[in-house]
Amino acid sequence: MAPVPMSWCLFTLVCGSWWLQVHLAPAPENEVPLRPTTWVQEGKITPITLPKGRTRRLYFTLKKKASAMSVTVSPCGPTIEWSLSARTLKDKPFKMQWSTKKSSPEVWWQGPGTEEKMHSFTGHTDDAYRGPSHPHASIYIMRLRSKLQNTRATVYLHEGPEPSGTFPMLPADPRVHTLGVGMTSVTLSWVPSASITSHTHTQKSYDYCVFVNSQQNYPNLCAARESRRKEKDQGQGKKAKKGEETVWPMLNEWWWQQWDSEAHSPPSTSSDDLHCVCQGTENVCTISELLPDTQYYFDVFVIDRTNRTSVAYWGTFARTHEEAQAAITTLREGELRWVSFNDRGSKSEQFFTFRPRGLQQSGLLTLQSCGRDEKIKVTVSSKSQILTSQAVTGDLVHIWLNGSPSYLIHLEREGTTSSHMSTALPGGLMASVKMQVSSAYHRRGVPSLPTTLQIKSFNRLRGCNSVTLAWMGTEERSLYCVYRRKVGLLDKKAPTAPCLGPESRSDTERVLCKYFQELNPQRAVTTAVIGGLEPGVAYVFDVYLMRRWGIPIKYASKVVKTRKEC
């Protein structure tokens, strides 16, 4: 390498120190340093670069007849601060003596006048000022600043109260909805944009772009593209070496100050660098080839290729299902479990295992179907031998377990005549089968059931404020609870799920609970007088047989109307 001349070294030292003094010296807030001025043009998107911790200023003026305006700022990264002010000069600019060394906003700044703040915002989402223009403004000043890191943003100015028509329109419901989630796929839908549905002859200039990532939702296309660009830069590595030094230590800062060059390059609306999984004008998209048990974020953008603009729907997120496994669920002692078959296949199955307590190795399995149209079969086996197999209906199914240390319970849905795979229960619960299993220490078999589940009322004992009910019990000591409610619109609709028990009833509907036992099954009749009723009102009465083991038994509902006059 040729030796560096001494004159060049002296020039470097002198100029370098002068450069540092000029550029590192703090500038007052009300002074505009000498640099190219960035003007915001009406009807055009202005891209800007925001160096960390530095305030960017943009300027614009309005036409005399412009009574209203809108200024939209779209950050491309983290949180930024921006404000809009109107500066009013006492003297007109053309009366001043202009200097070729000063930019026009700097000369205006030095003149006498007042400044009024019209709008301010801090955040990382799109924000806009929409309102009347300042009646005495000579020039409008925008200040933008990023405290966290170097970032970018775009600014759009529109004169007039009416919409600009430059940006695509969002529907009244701008949310992205999730239609279905699978192990490796997610299906999305959204309400179509009016820009596409109302302008059929210009549909070719619009596109939907669905962007998926595993980090976050993005408020606009610029933020999504910036995040994608940073991922590529991190993957490829920095081109410049960390050990390299330059003769001009402020060259990097100087580069960030060359703002005029970027104003002439319009922002790109191409979505190729985003790897959009769905493009076109269809408002339904299925994203496949995803990883199981992973959370993904989905954003939908409407792109206007003619005006080079875009708007974003409200993004959503979903977690894909875990990999399919032949899982066997362990049932706990006395656990009441709601089993649901949610898949749309014509056949599905679930497996459970249970280990009875005690030396007798006996237990009681109780099942009840919640859907009237479903065909469900239960198979109980032990040591690879089938012990019993039978259908599960709306009536209680009791299966006695005895003689094995563990049992495998197989529930299988063989088909359905309805499009609903599971029955909707109160509280948003979906269930196909209600199941409970408990160890039986002192029992010899299936518990006895009442000879009939009908409730009888006595007309002679029916008054204006009370009625008398009777029902059959068993020879075992059990708890019986009576519930009541007025006959309403719910009773005229389709019948509720047969598996609903006392847990679905309100405590205000329960009128009494009593224990009853009769060793002679033919005489096991108990009665109850229900008081506190209103005259001439029809009531629905329900009785539940509560037992220590198994699911409660519900008697057939009984409608009784009190006397109107007594």
Side-chain angles (χ1 to χ4, degrees):
M1 177 183 292
V4 180
M6 182 62 67
S7 59
W8 174 255
C9 295
L10 294 175
F11 173 78
T12 302
L13 291 175
V14 174
C15 294
S17 60
W18 169 81
W19 183 279
L20 290 175
Q21 292 176 3
V22 171
H23 288 268
L24 291 181
E29 177 64 21
N30 61 349
E31 180 180 343
V32 179
L34 285 174
R35 59 169 65 94
T37 304
T38 302
W39 288 86
V40 179
Q41 299 182 15
E42 197 274 338
K44 293 185 178 181
I45 297 179
T46 304
I48 59 173
T49 301
L50 299 178
K52 176 183 176 181
R54 293 198 176 187
T55 301
R56 283 292 312 274
R57 296 183 181 88
L58 286 77
Y59 310 91
F60 64 89
T61 57
L62 300 178
K63 299 177 182 178
K64 293 182 179 180
K65 296 183 180 180
S67 60
M69 64 174 175
S70 64
V71 181
T72 305
V73 177
S74 301
C76 299
T79 300
I80 68 170
E81 303 172 354
W82 80 275
S83 63
L84 174 64
S85 303
R87 185 167 180 82
T88 304
L89 298 180
K90 295 182 180 180
D91 297 326
K92 294 182 179 180
F94 62 82
K95 291 184 178 181
M96 298 180 181
Q97 185 174 358
W98 297 92
S99 172
T100 57
K101 298 181 180 180
K102 301 284 186 177
S103 60
S104 56
E106 189 172 355
V107 176
W108 287 20
W109 210 294
Q110 294 176 354
T114 59
E115 184 173 321
E116 180 181 345
K117 180 176 290 188
M118 302 176 62
H119 180 76
S120 63
F121 175 78
T122 301
H124 68 283
T125 58
D126 293 2
D127 181 63
Y129 166 80
R130 297 182 179 90
S133 59
H134 196 280
H136 307 293
S138 302
I139 188 173
Y140 293 91
I141 306 166
M142 295 182 61
R143 293 179 176 88
L144 299 95
R145 184 182 183 186
S146 174
K147 291 184 177 181
L148 301 178
Q149 64 185 43
N150 299 335
T151 185
R152 304 173 189 273
T154 60
V155 177
Y156 180 79
L157 170 65
H158 172 67
E159 299 181 6
E162 68 283 349
S164 63
T166 305
F167 292 86
M169 292 183 290
L170 284 177
D173 180 12
R175 297 172 299 173
V176 179
H177 303 275
T178 304
L179 292 183
V181 180
M183 187 175 65
T184 58
S185 64
V186 175
T187 301
L188 308 173
S189 71
W190 55 91
V191 179
S193 168
S195 300
I196 297 178
T197 57
S198 60
H199 301 84
T200 56
H201 62 283
T202 59
Q203 283 189 4
K204 295 183 179 179
S205 64
Y206 291 95
D207 263 334
Y208 293 117
C209 171
V210 182
F211 178 58
V212 55
N213 71 98
S214 57
Q215 297 177 355
Q216 64 180 25
N217 288 114
Y218 294 100
N220 50 51
L221 188 65
C222 179
R225 183 180 289 107
E226 188 72 9
S227 174
R228 183 67 179 176
R229 184 187 62 83
K230 290 182 179 179
E231 290 180 1
K232 289 183 178 180
D233 293 344
Q234 293 177 358
Q236 296 175 358
K238 297 181 179 180
K239 296 181 179 180
K241 296 181 180 180
K242 296 182 180 180
E244 289 184 353
E245 295 182 359
T246 178
V247 177
W248 303 98
M250 298 298 296
L251 183 59
N252 186 39
E253 298 295 335
W254 174 84
W255 173 260
W256 283 102
Q257 295 175 12
Q258 305 312 301
W259 299 326
D260 260 8
S261 58
E262 64 184 2
H264 297 287
S265 58
S268 172
T269 58
S270 174
S271 56
D272 296 338
D273 55 345
L274 288 181
H275 297 286
C276 294
V277 292
C278 291
Q279 284 183 298
T281 57
E282 295 292 333
N283 63 318
V284 177
C285 171
T286 299
I287 301 98
S288 55
E289 299 183 2
L290 302 177
L291 296 177
D293 194 21
T294 305
Q295 182 161 297
Y296 289 94
Y297 298 85
F298 306 94
D299 294 294
V300 177
F301 306 103
V302 188
I303 300 176
D304 183 353
R305 295 193 303 272
T306 302
N307 294 318
R308 307 177 69 84
T309 57
S310 64
V311 293
Y313 281 75
W314 294 356
T316 186
F317 62 91
R319 191 175 192 88
T320 53
H321 294 166
E322 298 180 359
E323 294 188 25
Q325 297 179 357
I328 300 178
T329 305
T330 300
L331 296 177
R332 297 190 299 270
E333 175 72 24
E335 176 187 6
L336 182 63
R337 177 173 288 270
W338 304 86
V339 182
S340 177
F341 298 102
N342 292 324
D343 62 298
R344 297 181 177 272
S346 61
K347 183 176 181 179
S348 59
E349 55 188 4
Q350 295 190 37
F351 295 88
F352 303 89
T353 182
F354 176 71
R355 290 180 176 271
R357 297 179 181 177
L359 298 178
Q360 295 181 353
Q361 297 180 344
S362 59
L364 179 66
L365 173 63
T366 309
L367 305 101
Q368 189 177 23
S369 175
C370 298
R372 298 180 182 274
D373 299 328
E374 290 181 311
K375 298 179 180 179
I376 299 175
K377 182 177 70 173
V378 58
T379 302
V380 180
S381 60
S382 177
K383 299 179 180 179
S384 301
Q385 293 184 359
I386 297 179
L387 303 180
T388 182
S389 180
Q390 55 185 293
V392 181
T393 61
D395 297 330
L396 286 180
V397 176
H398 295 86
I399 299 177
W400 177 251
L401 309 176
N402 186 29
S404 297
S406 64
Y407 299 88
L408 181 65
I409 304 169
H410 176 206
L411 288 180
E412 180 181 9
R413 189 189 64 208
E414 298 179 327
T416 177
T417 59
S418 173
S419 59
H420 299 283
M421 299 306 172
S422 297
T423 302
L425 303 179
L429 179 66
M430 300 292 295
S432 300
V433 176
K434 186 178 182 181
M435 177 174 60
Q436 194 259 4
V437 60
S438 300
S439 300
Y441 303 102
H442 308 291
R443 185 175 294 277
R444 296 296 179 183
V446 176
S448 59
L449 298 177
T451 56
T452 178
L453 295 178
Q454 299 296 323
I455 302 176
K456 182 176 178 57
S457 65
F458 301 94
N459 188 43
R460 294 182 179 180
L461 302 179
R462 181 169 57 94
C464 294
N465 303 106
S466 64
V467 296
T468 301
L469 304 177
W471 61 90
M472 298 296 297
T474 66
E475 63 270 24
E476 298 177 353
R477 188 172 186 270
S478 302
L479 179 67
Y480 299 85
C481 292
V482 182
Y483 289 77
R484 75 175 182 191
R485 71 175 187 273
K486 294 181 180 180
V487 175
L489 296 177
L490 295 178
D491 301 284
K492 300 179 182 179
K493 298 181 180 179
T496 57
C499 65
L500 290 178
E503 70 278 354
S504 65
R505 306 297 296 269
S506 172
D507 292 340
T508 58
E509 297 179 354
R510 185 174 64 243
V511 292
L512 66 87
C513 288
K514 59 180 293 187
Y515 283 96
F516 176 75
Q517 180 184 17
E518 174 59 52
L519 298 181
N520 186 356
Q522 302 298 327
R523 300 174 55 186
V525 179
T526 181
T527 60
V529 179
I530 312 300
L533 306 179
E534 299 178 11
V537 177
Y539 290 88
V540 179
F541 294 93
D542 292 306
V543 177
Y544 295 92
L545 169 58
M546 318 286 287
R547 300 171 299 168
R548 184 178 180 182
W549 293 286
I551 300 174
I553 298 176
K554 180 181 180 300
Y555 287 73
S557 300
K558 180 70 174 180
V559 178
V560 183
K561 186 176 182 180
T562 57
R563 295 185 183 274
K564 191 174 183 179
E565 297 179 356
C566 296

